[in-house]
Amino acid sequence: MAKFQGTKINPTKFDKSQLGFIIFLSFLGFFMILPIIFMFSQAFKPIDELFLYPPRFLVKKPTIKNFVDLFIQTNIMQIPMTRYLFNSILITLTNVFLTSIISTMAGFALSKKEFRLKKIIFEANTIALMFVPAAVAIPRYLIVEKMGLIDNMLGHILPILAYPVCVFLAKQFIDQVPNALIEAAYIDGAGDFYLFTRLVLPMIKPAVATISILAFQTTWNNTETSVIYMNKETLKTFAFYMSTLASTVNNNVAGQGIAAAAALIMFIPNLVIFLVQQSKVIATMAHSGLK
C-alpha cells in the first residue's frame, strides 16, 4: 500500500505494481466509453447509415447534415431557440450556486454544530435519498401551486433546489475536517460565517465541485418543471425544447438524424463539466464512503 501512497486515489508516481490495475481499469474504461462514442457516431451518421441493418457502431461517412437540419428546424419555430437557451443558462447557474451554498451550509451544521433534532434531521435526509421524483411529484405540484409559482421562473428553481444527496456528501466530507481545528478557530474569535467561508469551504472544494456537477446535470437536463409548472412557452427550458423538437420529428425518417444531433448537443455540456471536475468527484466519493 505504501507504493500507492496510502489511500490516495491518484498516485503521483508510476510503479510496476500498478500495471495490473492500469490494465484492468483501461479495459473497464473502454467499455464505459462505448455509449459516448456511439452517441457521437449516431449524430454524424447520414440517413442511410442510421437505418442500416445490421446497425453499424461507428459512422463510415460522417456528415453535419443532421445539425444543419436541426438548425433549419429551429428557425421555423415561432419562439427563437435562444430564448429557451437563455432560460436554461439562467436557471442552471442560479440552481448550481444556491444548491452549493445550501448543501454545504446544511452539511456544516449537521457535522459540526450541536442542536436539537440534529440526528432526526440527518436521518430524514438519508431516508429522502430513497424517494424517486415520481413519488413526490403530486405534493411538489401542490406546494408550487399554493406558492403561486405557476408560470413563474422561480417554479424552475425552488422545486429542485433540495438535493438530499448533496447534503449527505457535504456532511460526510466536512466530517473529515478536524474538530480541533474548528475549536481553535472558535477560541481565536472566529464566528460561524467566517469559519465556514474562510476555513471549511476551502477544505471541501472537491465536495463543492461534485455538488455543482450534480446540480448542473439535474437542472440542465430537467424537463419536468417546464411540463408541469409552465404554461407560457417563453418560460420553458432548452431541454424541454430539444425533447419536444426531437419527438416532433422523430416519427419521420429524416427526424432520426435531427433527434440524434439534439441528444448530442444536450449531452456535451454534461461531458465537459464532468471531464473538468472528474478528479474532484472521485476524491469526494472516497471521502464520503460511497461505493
Side-chain angles (χ1 to χ4, degrees):
M1 291 300 291
K3 293 178 179 178
F4 291 97
Q5 304 174 34
T7 58
K8 193 170 184 180
I9 298 299
N10 296 315
T12 55
K13 296 181 180 178
F14 174 76
D15 188 274
K16 62 180 181 181
S17 62
Q18 303 168 5
L19 195 59
F21 285 98
I22 292 175
I23 294 174
F24 172 74
L25 293 177
S26 299
F27 186 73
L28 187 63
F30 173 74
F31 279 96
M32 293 181 69
I33 203 172
L34 287 180
I36 299 176
I37 296 175
F38 182 72
M39 181 175 288
F40 275 88
S41 177
Q42 283 290 96
F44 289 96
K45 280 182 180 176
I47 292 297
D48 55 337
E49 288 192 47
L50 280 172
F51 292 92
L52 194 65
Y53 186 83
R56 184 180 293 156
F57 187 82
L58 295 176
V59 56
K60 191 173 183 180
K61 298 175 183 177
T63 176
I64 61 170
K65 185 176 183 304
N66 295 332
F67 295 92
V68 174
D69 291 342
L70 175 63
F71 181 75
I72 295 173
Q73 189 73 26
T74 57
N75 280 342
I76 63 176
M77 298 291 181
Q78 292 182 347
I79 300 175
M81 184 179 65
T82 51
R83 175 65 194 186
Y84 298 98
L85 191 59
F86 170 79
N87 291 343
S88 275
I89 293 174
L90 177 65
I91 293 165
T92 302
L93 292 179
T94 304
N95 193 271
V96 168
F97 174 76
L98 293 178
T99 299
S100 301
I101 293 296
I102 293 173
S103 298
T104 51
M105 292 181 76
F108 174 66
L110 291 171
S111 176
K112 300 301 181 185
K113 305 296 289 184
E114 294 296 334
F115 55 91
R116 289 182 179 179
L117 305 179
K118 173 181 171 179
K119 291 184 179 179
I120 295 177
I121 292 175
F122 182 65
E123 290 297 329
N125 182 77
T126 305
I127 293 173
L129 294 173
M130 297 184 290
F131 285 91
V132 295
V136 297
I138 294 177
R140 182 182 286 174
Y141 174 81
L142 294 176
I143 294 173
V144 171
E145 196 272 336
K146 290 293 183 184
M147 293 177 68
L149 297 181
I150 301 296
D151 285 337
N152 189 311
M153 196 62 85
L154 289 176
H156 284 295
I157 299 172
L158 293 182
I160 57 174
L161 199 56
Y163 288 92
V165 65
C166 293
V167 175
F168 180 81
L169 287 175
K171 192 264 181 186
Q172 296 298 94
F173 212 93
I174 295 174
D175 281 346
Q176 310 299 320
V177 179
N179 289 329
L181 192 62
I182 302 291
E183 293 169 0
Y186 279 129
I187 293 173
D188 288 341
D192 285 336
F193 182 76
Y194 183 89
L195 180 64
F196 174 73
T197 55
R198 299 299 180 89
L199 182 64
V200 175
L201 273 184
M203 297 181 70
I204 61 168
K205 284 182 180 177
V208 176
T210 305
I211 292 170
S212 301
I213 292 173
L214 293 174
F216 177 87
Q217 291 182 334
T218 303
T219 310
W220 179 256
N221 298 319
N222 179 51
T223 58
E224 178 188 345
T225 55
S226 294
V227 174
I228 301 177
Y229 309 135
M230 301 299 150
N231 298 315
K232 295 180 180 177
E233 198 67 24
T234 54
L235 294 177
K236 296 183 177 178
T237 61
F238 187 64
F240 171 82
Y241 172 70
M242 296 302 274
S243 65
T244 54
L245 181 64
S247 62
T248 301
V249 299
N250 215 19
N251 293 325
N252 57 65
V253 174
Q256 299 297 321
I258 295 177
L264 181 62
I265 290 175
M266 286 301 300
F267 173 72
I268 285 178
N270 295 293
L271 178 64
V272 170
I273 193 170
F274 179 79
L275 291 178
V276 171
Q277 304 284 5
Q278 58 91 16
S279 63
K280 294 178 180 178
V281 173
I282 295 173
T284 303
M285 296 305 174
H287 281 79
S288 65
L290 293 180
K291 304 297 183 183

